[in-house]
């Protein structure tokens, strides 16, 4: 693999020599090139209706903006047939070989192309939203948060309790009225209870107990006997942990977490859409720059051919031919770099659309179908104050931070409640039944024939209470921290919205200035080439004006791409890319 740079450099030199005509055909075999005015007009027309990706080898069609795409352009034929096209065919073949390096050790080309995929901006956004792995992870995180939220309400699920026991005991009487020399008891007991937590922080309890007893005590009135008890009780905190806001604080925090996870997933979608827009416009821009490089190369070839004819006619100089050859060699290198930039931009977009390592998707030939905006319009651009109103409402970061503030306030409310003394109100009603028949004992207890009513206040307070006091201080500091974080984010959003509006307005002005510059440089080049044909200027001046035109054309294409991205940046600063036209934001 150490031979690769040498081989590539050799191919570049060969391409340059071929462009200069020194390796393929003499002056008699060269075709009359297209007039420079046609080349310039074709370059300004932009990409064709049916573009292909010129950054991928194996494509016979020229780059977007290339003069060979215009209607009526001469078609290339077999090399060496005297039609003057052999030189350019050989150059195209050498350029492809430089890009793919197929001749190196017979290894597969890293730029090998596969099926072509025509792709609009809306298509790219849709595919990315369907396939992105990070977005799927965020959606799963939101699902986890929902399950956790539902699970927190399990704290209010009723709890059923039960127990049973059998006791066989013998007791020595302590008095002469013990009822027997040795008291014997056979007891069967059971307990069943239900605790029902309330969202006020209290608990309703229902307890039922039964004792069946058989004894040899002669003083036992009923033997065997059944004793039943039914108790209903309410325990309600009055201070610590009291009432709904505190009792359901964990559920409220979990609910905020669900909303925050949903906002985080929405933010991830917004970020993905922005990245797709950026990668898509980068690809479109790279293809436009490749078209500019092709135009510059065509202009250089045309000037080279003209200088050779002048040299053959005895009115030109060898220096002018050498200057033109050097200019063509530079244009070849620029076109190679532009083609590689197209391949890199295409891969960047593929990484967003097709995760994984499938050769088929990585070898796709992406052909963007959404063109750059032709004109830059200020219609729909509002003041930054108006744009900020929407940003404060829709920006995902602000929404998430507002939820964090609310969650911290709930935690503070709970911590403040836990710092209070415990004061619980306990109300209970118990019914007791005693009979030889179990059914009769149950009826007496259930009907509260022998009721017992209780009202109780239970108080407790830990001396010092350092744990609860410091927990409250910590929660209060957390609230302040979250509010400061929100203020910081809000300041950042204001700066981003202002910057996005300013950038959009500047891009509008830049497009108009670039289009004006392009028109002036085009007219300047046409005038200078006309003067050159009349012998009123030098070859050096013509080449300088060609370079200026190429730079102006490149700047105009770049300005239009920046203008398209400026609208996207504004929608991203407002946080509305997800809601706007399914994510395919374009200028109004």
């Amino acid at each position: 693999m150490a031979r690769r740079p040498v081989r590539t450099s050799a191919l570049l030199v060969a391409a340059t020599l071929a462009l200069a005509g020194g390796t393929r055909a003499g002056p008699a075999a060269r075709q009359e090139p297209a007039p420079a005015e046609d080349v310039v007009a074709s370059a300004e027309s932009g990409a064709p209706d049916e573009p292909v990706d010129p950054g991928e080898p194996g494509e016979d069609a020229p780059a977007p903006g290339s003069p060979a795409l215009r209607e009526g352009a001469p078609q290339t034929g077999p090399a060496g047939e005297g039609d003057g096209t052999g030189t350019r065919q050989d150059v195209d073949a050498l350029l492809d070989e430089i890009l793919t390096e197929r001749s190196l050790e017979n290894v597969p080309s890293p730029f090998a192309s596969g099926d072509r995929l025509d792709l609009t901006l809306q298509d790219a956004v849709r595919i990315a939203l369907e396939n992105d792995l990070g977005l799927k992870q965020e959606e799963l995180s939101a699902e986890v948060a929902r399950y956790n939220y539902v699970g927190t309400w399990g704290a209010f699920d009723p709890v059923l309790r039960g127990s049973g026991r059998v006791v066989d005991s013998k007791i020595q009487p302590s008095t002469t009225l013990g009822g027997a020399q040795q008291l014997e008891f056979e007891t069967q007991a059971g307990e069943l209870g239900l605790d029902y937590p309330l969202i006020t922080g209290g608990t309703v309890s229902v307890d039922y107990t039964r004792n069946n007893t058989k004894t040899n005590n002669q003083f036992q009135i009923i033997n065997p006997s059944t004793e039943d008890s039914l108790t209903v009780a309410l325990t309600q905190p009055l201070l610590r942990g009291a009432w709904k806001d505190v009792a359901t604080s964990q559920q409220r925090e979990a609910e905020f977490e669900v909303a925050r996870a949903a906002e985080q997933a929405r933010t991830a979608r917004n970020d993905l859409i922005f990245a797709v827009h950026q990668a898509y416009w980068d690809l479109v821009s790279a293809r436009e720059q490749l078209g500019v490089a092709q135009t510059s190369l065509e202009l250089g070839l045309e000037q080279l051919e003209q200088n050779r004819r002048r040299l053959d006619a005895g009115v030109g100089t060898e220096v002018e031919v050498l200057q033109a050859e050097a200019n063509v060699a530079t244009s070849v290198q620029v076109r190679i770099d532009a083609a590689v930039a197209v391949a890199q931009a295409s891969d960047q977009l593929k990484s967003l659309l097709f995760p994984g390592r499938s050769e088929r998707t990585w070898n796709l030939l992406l052909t963007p179908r959404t063109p750059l905006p032709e004109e830059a319009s200020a219609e729909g651009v509002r003041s930054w104050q108006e744009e900020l109103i929407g940003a404060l409402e829709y920006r995902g970061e602000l929404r998430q931070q507002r939820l964090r503030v609310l969650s911290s306030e709930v935690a503070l409310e709970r911590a403040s409640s836990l710092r209070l003394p415990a004061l619980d109100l306990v109300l209970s009603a118990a019914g007791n039944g005693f009979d030889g028949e179990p059914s009769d004992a149950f009826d007496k207890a259930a009907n509260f024939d022998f009721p017992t009513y209780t009202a109780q206040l239970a108080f407790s307070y830990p001396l010092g209470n350092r744990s609860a006091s410091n927990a409250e201080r910590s929660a209060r500091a957390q609230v302040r921290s979250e509010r400061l974080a929100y203020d910081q984010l809000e300041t950042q959003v204001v700066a981003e919205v202002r910057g996005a509006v300013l950038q959009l307005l500047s891009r509008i002005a830049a497009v108009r200035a670039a289009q004006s510059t392009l028109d002036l440089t085009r007219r300047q080049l046409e005038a200078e080439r006309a003067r050159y044909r009349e012998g009123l200027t030098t070859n050096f001046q013509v080449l300088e004006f060609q370079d200026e035109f190429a730079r102006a054309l490149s700047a105009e294409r770049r300005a239009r791409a920046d203008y398209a991205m400026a609208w996207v940046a504004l929608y991203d600063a407002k946080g509305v890319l997800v809601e706007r036209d399914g994510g395919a934001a374009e200028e109004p």
Side-chain angles (χ1 to χ4, degrees), residues 405-427:
V405 171
L406 292 174
S407 182
S408 65
E409 290 174 347
V410 170
L412 173 60
E413 186 177 5
R414 182 175 62 248
S416 299
S417 176
L418 295 179
R419 187 171 177 268
L420 298 174
L423 180 62
D424 296 341
L425 173 65
V426 181
L427 301 175

Side-chain angles (χ1 to χ4, degrees), residues 222-237:
I222 301 175
N223 190 26
S225 63
T226 298
E227 183 178 4
D228 285 357
S229 176
L230 180 62
T231 304
V232 178
L234 168 65
T235 302
Q236 174 61 52

Side-chain angles (χ1 to χ4, degrees), residues 256-487:
F256 291 143
E257 183 62 25
V258 171
R260 195 186 69 80
E263 281 300 325
Q264 188 167 336
R266 177 181 171 275
T267 301
R269 285 194 295 271
N270 192 88
D271 293 343
L272 175 62
I273 293 170
F274 180 79
V276 170
H277 277 78
Q278 190 169 42
Y280 188 92
W281 290 124
D282 284 347
L283 177 57
V284 174
S285 179
R287 287 167 57 85
E288 292 289 345
Q289 294 303 320
L290 180 58
V292 171
Q294 180 67 24
T295 297
S296 180
L297 178 58
E298 293 284 345
L299 288 172
L301 285 171
E302 199 277 339
Q303 184 65 24
L304 176 60
E305 294 290 344
Q306 186 175 1
N307 289 352
R308 283 175 172 166
R309 289 195 306 272
R310 288 168 56 86
L311 179 62
D312 294 341
V315 295
T317 65
E318 186 69 26
V319 173
E320 292 178 338
V321 174
L322 290 175
Q323 287 176 339
E325 289 175 349
N327 180 69
V328 168
T330 301
S331 298
V332 169
Q333 183 61 57
V334 171
R335 189 188 185 282
I336 292 172
D337 293 340
V340 173
V342 170
Q344 292 173 337
S346 179
D347 281 352
Q348 178 62 30
L349 182 57
K350 291 174 188 175
S351 68
L352 296 172
L353 302 185
F354 308 110
R357 56 181 185 179
S358 170
E359 292 185 11
R360 180 178 178 276
T361 55
W362 280 106
N363 287 335
L364 281 173
L365 186 67
L366 299 184
T367 305
R369 290 299 185 184
T370 302
L372 291 175
E374 293 294 335
E375 301 292 336
S377 171
E379 183 181 356
V381 182
R382 301 183 296 176
S383 67
W384 70 268
Q385 294 92 337
E386 293 176 299
E387 301 290 4
L388 181 62
I389 296 175
L392 294 178
E393 179 181 358
Y394 289 104
R395 275 294 288 265
E397 299 93 328
L398 292 179
R399 285 184 169 188
Q400 292 182 56
Q401 191 58 35
R402 284 196 287 266
L403 291 169
R404 290 190 181 96
V405 171
L406 292 174
S407 182
S408 65
E409 290 174 347
V410 170
L412 173 60
E413 186 177 5
R414 182 175 62 248
S416 299
S417 176
L418 295 179
R419 187 171 177 268
L420 298 174
L423 180 62
D424 296 341
L425 173 65
V426 181
L427 301 175
S428 65
N432 299 292
F434 181 79
D435 205 289
E437 293 294 331
S439 59
D440 293 338
F442 176 79
D443 290 340
K444 292 178 181 178
N447 293 328
F448 287 86
D449 292 344
F450 303 95
T452 301
Y453 300 103
T454 303
Q456 176 184 351
L457 284 175
F459 175 84
S460 68
Y461 184 74
L463 299 179
N465 204 18
R466 288 179 293 178
S467 297
S469 297
N470 286 283
E472 182 189 23
R473 295 188 184 100
S474 175
R476 197 176 300 279
Q478 185 64 34
V479 170
R480 291 198 298 269
S481 175
E482 298 295 353
R483 288 174 177 172
L484 289 174
Y486 179 83
D487 292 340

Side-chain angles (χ1 to χ4, degrees), residues 78-128:
E81 293 185 358
D83 59 356
T85 61
T87 297
R88 295 188 183 179
Q89 278 190 325
D90 294 333
V91 170
D92 289 341
L94 284 171
L95 287 175
D96 286 341
E97 191 172 3
I98 290 170
L99 289 176
T100 62
E101 299 182 351
R102 290 190 180 112
S103 62
L104 299 178
E105 304 174 11
N106 296 321
V107 296
S109 166
F111 297 105
S113 61
D115 299 332
R116 192 175 83 170
L117 177 62
D118 293 340
L119 200 66
T120 66
L121 182 57
Q122 290 84 352
D123 292 336
V125 170
R126 175 181 54 79
I127 293 173

